Amino acid sequence: MAGKLRLVVCFKKWTVIHFFPWIVAPVSTIIINSGNVNVKLDWRELPVGLLVSEGEMRVSDSIYLDYQASTPTDARVLEAMLPYFTDSFGNPHSSNHILGWRSADSIESARYEVASLIGALPDEIVFTSGATEANNQAIFGVLAANQTNRKTILVSAIEHKCVKEAAYFFAAQYGHRVEEVPVLESGQIDRNAYSAMLTDDVLLVSIMAVNNEIGTIQDVAWLADQAQRVGAVFHCDAAQAPEAIDLDVVELGIDLLSLSAHKIYGPKGLGVLYIESSLQNDFPPLVHGGGQQNGLRSGTLPTPLCVGFGVAASIIRKEGAQNRNRLKELSSGLLENLRKANVGFSINGDTVGRHPGNLNLEFPNIDAESLINKLQPSICASTGSACNSGIIQSSYVLRSIGLSEDRASSSVRISVGRFSDEEQIAEAVKKIAEAISSLSA
């Protein structure tokens, strides 16, 4: 049996979603009866399935607790994307026929939804390949367009690596310098140090809204205001922010802002750079080509991904507040279950002003890598940013908030999300307690 198969099967409890470029095993039975669907499959012969219920997320036999690394694509997002892979596949920049017009209209609708999420105008939204490209374009654009004598870029000590690396790279290219703003033990910007570093030589400030490792939420409005008082441009990496806080670029005073679709239950491979209107005329592109998106970022836009980003943005804008309360409850429940299991731990970062789904926990005298390995394949968590994985070193974020090498190496990031639930949390804590007990023996 050959060909393509899309299988979306809805049970009373589960939604099972599979995409097969080819059929690797036949579907034995599909019986539709009174709205229920029964499927008999040999799961051992099929690709890993995505099992999603209201309040539960499992991949195969694993419990997923790494939502700040990536989120699963929401089924509503996936459903909206599917027609643009097959039926409405036209190039959105083909202006001579109906399929091109439909794709273009769909992208503009998505652009509107993303703009609405952050209080921007649709024309201020530039689609990119991800937040990494958006961050690079923001930093490059400001430096390349600089016609002043300003030469200093400020970034926080706990910025995502793609911001730090881009800042140092482009600073070297254009004869600028980078200074890192220190943070407190909570992960909050050291305000005294920041104020002292804000001189009339500062061209650009780039500080993230919500940290990807320790979840600390910065006072972006104050930081942006202080930067602009000395005439600096303010950029904010907000990839982790939509799940944690409401965003309004006008109220917050942000000039440039980066987002990522796969951090908000959208597809991988797409990001956004918000560029405030007054900056756009002199803002050079990082990617050159056909001059798409008003010349700010060339390349054929991926219609399905743009549509998915738009739906994901719409969902989080409407459901964000409710979801945040839920994440906070789950995070608090996980901590309480750890205490009941007599597991010793301390919380890294701000204990109050943090992402509601983030827990960065130090387990004293336990090697974090060994713990994560011990939990496989049951629990998906991490020792820090996924973008640093494969590099055997403790987190620079944790070291920046004052942790020693040993303490940083004993810390694990656990992040709950939209499809987590209490049963899942209880099971995860049980396995964590067992693993720690085994490692301590």
Side-chain angles (χ1 to χ4, degrees):
M1 185 175 182
K4 295 182 179 179
L5 171 66
R6 168 185 172 243
L7 177 61
V8 179
V9 184
C10 297
F11 297 88
K12 289 183 178 179
K13 181 178 180 183
W14 298 102
T15 298
V16 183
I17 302 173
H18 275 286
F19 272 97
F20 306 136
W22 53 87
I23 295 176
V24 296
V27 178
S28 301
T29 306
I30 298 181
I31 303 173
I32 301 176
N33 183 17
S34 301
N36 294 325
V37 181
N38 300 315
V39 179
K40 183 178 180 181
L41 299 171
D42 187 347
W43 295 106
R44 294 169 297 180
E45 296 180 28
L46 293 175
V48 173
L50 183 65
L51 304 182
V52 181
S53 72
E54 183 178 354
E56 186 163 0
M57 169 73 194
R58 289 176 182 264
V59 180
S60 186
D61 293 325
S62 301
I63 296 173
Y64 189 72
L65 296 176
D66 202 17
Y67 280 85
Q68 288 194 272
S70 189
T71 59
T73 302
D74 190 291
R76 292 167 289 182
V77 172
L78 182 60
E79 182 179 6
M81 291 170 60
L82 288 175
Y84 297 92
F85 287 107
T86 53
D87 300 331
S88 300
F89 59 87
N91 187 321
H93 311 293
S94 296
S95 58
N96 296 320
H97 56 71
I98 186 65
L99 285 184
W101 302 339
R102 286 175 180 171
S103 293
D105 287 346
S106 298
I107 285 176
E108 292 313 305
S109 295
R111 198 187 304 273
Y112 172 83
E113 292 294 348
V114 176
S116 298
L117 177 65
I118 61 173
L121 299 173
D123 287 346
E124 296 174 316
I125 298 300
V126 178
F127 287 112
T128 67
S129 64
T132 292
E133 183 191 326
N135 289 333
N136 273 259
Q137 183 171 358
I139 295 167
F140 161 77
V142 173
L143 271 62
N146 183 26
Q147 299 295 317
T148 73
N149 294 322
R150 295 170 180 261
K151 296 294 183 182
T152 301
I153 306 167
L154 298 184
V155 301
S156 82
I158 60 172
E159 285 305 298
H160 193 280
K161 185 165 282 189
C162 69
V163 169
K164 279 193 171 187
E165 292 294 320
Y168 280 105
F169 176 80
F170 290 117
Q173 295 289 311
Y174 288 93
H176 292 52
R177 59 182 166 271
V178 178
E179 296 180 4
E180 297 192 17
V181 184
V183 295
L184 306 174
E185 185 179 357
S186 63
Q188 297 287 346
I189 291 293
D190 183 329
R191 291 194 174 200
N192 291 332
Y194 180 59
S195 296
M197 297 169 76
L198 282 171
T199 68
D200 59 7
D201 190 61
V202 176
L203 171 66
L204 171 67
V205 176
S206 183
I207 298 177
M208 67 199 328
V210 180
N211 186 264
N212 52 298
E213 290 192 40
I214 58 175
T216 298
I217 300 172
Q218 302 292 349
D219 186 348
V220 173
W222 184 85
L223 295 168
D225 177 68
Q226 296 302 301
Q228 289 160 357
R229 284 175 184 266
V230 300
V233 176
F234 188 85
H235 167 251
C236 182
D237 177 357
Q240 299 285 347
E243 275 282 85
I245 58 175
D246 291 332
L247 291 169
D248 189 306
V249 291
V250 177
E251 290 184 3
L252 295 172
I254 296 171
D255 299 307
L256 300 160
L257 179 141
S258 306
L259 292 171
S260 173
H262 81 97
K263 303 294 188 182
I264 60 168
Y265 305 89
K268 292 179 178 63
L270 198 69
V272 149
L273 177 62
Y274 155 78
I275 307 175
E276 197 271 329
S277 295
S278 66
L279 297 177
Q280 291 191 14
N281 287 339
D282 299 320
F283 208 85
L286 179 63
V287 177
H288 297 266
Q292 290 90 344
Q293 301 195 80
N294 298 320
L296 291 168
R297 202 280 187 181
S298 292
T300 301
L301 286 172
T303 308
L305 303 185
C306 293
V307 168
F309 201 164
V311 175
S314 175
I315 291 171
I316 209 163
R317 181 167 58 89
K318 296 172 183 176
E319 302 176 3
Q322 179 181 349
N323 288 339
R324 288 168 204 152
N325 291 332
R326 174 68 174 159
L327 295 181
K328 181 61 178 175
E329 291 174 359
L330 290 170
S331 296
S332 298
L334 191 148
L335 295 177
E336 184 59 28
N337 283 346
L338 285 173
R339 293 186 184 100
K340 289 179 179 178
N342 295 317
V343 175
F345 68 88
S346 59
I347 302 174
N348 297 322
D350 199 312
T351 57
V352 178
R354 69 184 303 125
H355 188 299
N358 171 281
L359 291 172
N360 195 299
L361 305 177
E362 177 197 348
F363 298 104
N365 303 315
I366 298 295
D367 179 72
E369 290 286 347
S370 298
L371 176 58
I372 294 296
N373 290 336
K374 190 80 171 177
L375 290 171
Q376 299 312 302
S378 302
I379 308 295
C380 295
S382 68
T383 56
S385 170
C387 298
N388 292 325
S389 61
I391 302 175
I392 308 302
Q393 61 182 20
S394 61
S395 163
Y396 67 85
V397 171
L398 296 181
R399 297 197 304 274
S400 294
I401 64 172
L403 269 65
S404 65
E405 189 80 21
D406 287 344
R407 292 185 62 194
S409 297
S410 295
S411 298
V412 173
R413 182 184 67 181
I414 298 171
S415 46
V416 298
R418 186 177 295 175
F419 302 112
S420 303
D421 70 4
E422 289 83 355
E423 180 181 353
Q424 183 184 31
I425 295 302
E427 183 178 345
V429 168
K430 179 182 177 182
K431 292 184 180 297
I432 291 171
E434 291 172 350
I436 289 176
S437 177
S438 174
L439 291 170
S440 300

